[in-house]
Amino acid sequence: MTTTDNGQTIPALTTENLCSHEEWQSFFSRFSHFVLVANSDDQTLDAIRSSYPDTALFIFFNRVNKVLKEPFVGNSILVTRSNQAGSELVYRDILGQMVALLPAPGFLGVMNMRTVEFERLMEPSQFKQAPAGTLDLAEYFHDLYPQEHTASSGFAMALWLYEHVPASKIVLTGFSATRGKKWKLFLVHDWVFEQSVLNLLAINDRLEFSGKTVRNPYARLLQRFPDLKTEDVLFASLQTLSMQLEGNKRHIDRLISVTAPLRFLYDGFKAMKRKSKKDRILAAERK
C-alpha cells in the first residue's frame, strides 16, 4: 500500500486477480516504456537495463533463469504461457525458482497468458508464490495469426501492448527468432510472420529493437532510382530468395543423408525416455 500527501491510501500496483483487457490496460498505462526480454542467446539485457527510467516495466517470459543469473532490480512482471495442461512453471513446481530472480519491491507479479482456445488458463490462486492475473488472447488472435501455428508469448505481448497502450514505448531485446547454441526455437510459432510484423512496426516507428536500427532498404532503393518499378523490385527480391532457398534445400538433403545413423540412435533413445510432466497430466485427465 502507498499513501498520498493528503493521506489517501492506494493499493500497491500488482497483477493480482487482473483478468479483463480493460484491467490490464489500466495496469500497463502507468509505465512509460515496456522492455520485452526474450529468452535468447542474443539477449542484451545487461547492456540496456540502466538505459530506461524508473517508469519502465521489464517484461520477462517463462523460464527467466535462461537470461537472468542474478536477481533483477527494477519494475518487472513474469509472463507464463499456458499450454493444454496449464502453466509449465506451476505444474513443474518451478515458479518459485523463477520468482526468486525477480524480487520485491520491483516485481509486480505474474501474468498467465493464452493465445488459442486449447491452452488452459489457471486460477490466480494456483500461483502461490506470487500475485497473479490472467490475459486471454485466444479471441484476439483467432483471425489474425496464421493457421496451424500459435503466437509466441513475446510477439503476443508486443502486439497487444502496441494496440492497447499506444502512449508507451515498446522495446524488444533478444527478439532474433534464430536458433541459438543453447536454446531452440519452437516451430509451433510462425517466426517468419512474427518477424515480418515486428519489423514492419519498427520501420514505422511503432516499436524498436534494442541495439538494432530497422530500415526499409527497398524504399530507399526506389527513391534513389525512381525509374524502377515497385513490382520489379518485389519480383527480383522473391527470385533471389527462391534461389537461396533452393540452395539451402540441397544442403539440408545432404545433411539428412549423412546424419541417418545419428537419427536412428536419437529416435531409439527418445522412445525410451519417460513421458514429460505435461504428457502425464494430459494422459491422466483422459482416463
Side-chain angles (χ1 to χ4, degrees):
M1 306 289 283
T2 57
T3 305
T4 62
D5 293 339
N6 61 10
Q8 181 183 8
T9 301
I10 302 175
L13 179 64
T14 73
T15 64
E16 189 168 12
N17 294 321
L18 301 181
C19 61
S20 71
H21 286 225
E22 291 75 20
E23 288 172 332
W24 282 109
Q25 207 169 356
S26 176
F27 171 88
F28 284 118
S29 65
R30 308 190 193 192
F31 300 97
S32 62
H33 297 73
F34 304 118
V35 184
L36 279 62
V37 184
N39 296 335
S40 164
D41 288 356
D42 296 325
Q43 187 51 255
T44 58
L45 178 62
D46 290 340
I48 70 167
R49 64 194 307 171
S50 61
S51 302
Y52 296 95
D54 293 339
T55 51
L57 177 68
F58 288 77
I59 302 176
F60 295 89
F61 299 92
N62 302 303
R63 296 196 182 205
V64 294
N65 57 342
K66 292 181 178 180
V67 292
L68 290 178
K69 302 308 176 186
E70 58 185 30
F72 177 81
V73 178
N75 297 321
S76 65
I77 66 168
L78 174 60
V79 176
T80 175
R81 177 67 169 274
S82 271
N83 55 43
Q84 299 97 316
S87 166
E88 180 190 29
L89 302 187
V90 173
Y91 65 69
R92 287 189 180 275
D93 196 24
I94 58 175
L95 177 62
Q97 300 173 38
M98 305 304 123
V99 171
L101 291 167
L102 300 168
F107 180 56
L108 304 178
V110 172
M111 172 198 283
N112 183 207
M113 173 200 289
R114 75 169 184 173
T115 67
V116 288
E117 291 288 346
F118 62 75
E119 294 173 334
R120 179 194 301 170
L121 289 173
M122 307 189 81
E123 294 296 326
S125 59
Q126 293 178 273
F127 295 85
K128 298 176 183 178
Q129 294 94 335
T134 58
L135 181 60
D136 189 347
L137 297 181
E139 184 177 349
Y140 178 78
F141 279 106
H142 181 69
D143 294 322
L144 176 62
Y145 203 83
Q147 294 183 357
E148 310 302 328
H149 291 82
T150 62
S152 70
S153 302
F155 174 78
M157 195 78 263
L159 210 61
W160 188 88
L161 286 171
Y162 161 66
E163 283 207 294
H164 291 80
V165 196
S168 302
K169 187 72 174 179
I170 300 172
V171 181
L172 309 180
T173 174
F175 279 66
S176 62
T178 55
R179 174 65 156 97
K181 294 180 181 179
K182 294 188 296 182
W183 314 119
K184 67 179 181 180
L185 288 176
F186 292 102
L187 298 181
V188 69
H189 310 311
D190 189 331
W191 296 108
V192 173
F193 174 78
E194 293 193 6
Q195 287 293 299
S196 298
V197 173
L198 294 177
N199 276 293
L200 180 62
L201 294 176
I203 287 171
N204 289 278
D205 296 322
R206 310 299 173 85
L207 54 76
E208 68 180 53
F209 288 86
S210 175
K212 171 185 172 183
T213 301
V214 180
R215 296 177 178 174
N216 185 348
Y218 299 103
R220 293 171 178 265
L221 179 68
L222 289 168
Q223 291 173 0
R224 179 69 63 88
F225 303 103
D227 56 313
L228 295 178
K229 296 180 180 179
T230 302
E231 56 267 30
D232 289 339
V233 172
L234 178 61
F235 172 76
S237 302
L238 290 174
Q239 187 178 43
T240 301
L241 180 60
S242 177
M243 292 169 61
Q244 290 184 336
L245 287 174
E246 184 65 26
N248 288 338
K249 281 163 50 178
R250 291 175 182 171
H251 289 300
I252 292 171
D253 183 68
R254 191 175 299 119
L255 284 171
I256 290 174
S257 299
V258 171
T259 58
L262 290 175
R263 290 201 315 278
F264 176 78
L265 293 174
Y266 173 80
D267 291 341
F269 173 75
K270 191 174 181 181
M272 293 186 293
K273 280 185 66 177
R274 189 186 183 197
K275 288 184 178 180
S276 68
K277 185 73 174 287
K278 170 187 167 184
D279 289 337
R280 297 200 299 273
I281 290 173
L282 295 177
E285 291 178 351
R286 287 193 289 266
K287 291 181 179 179

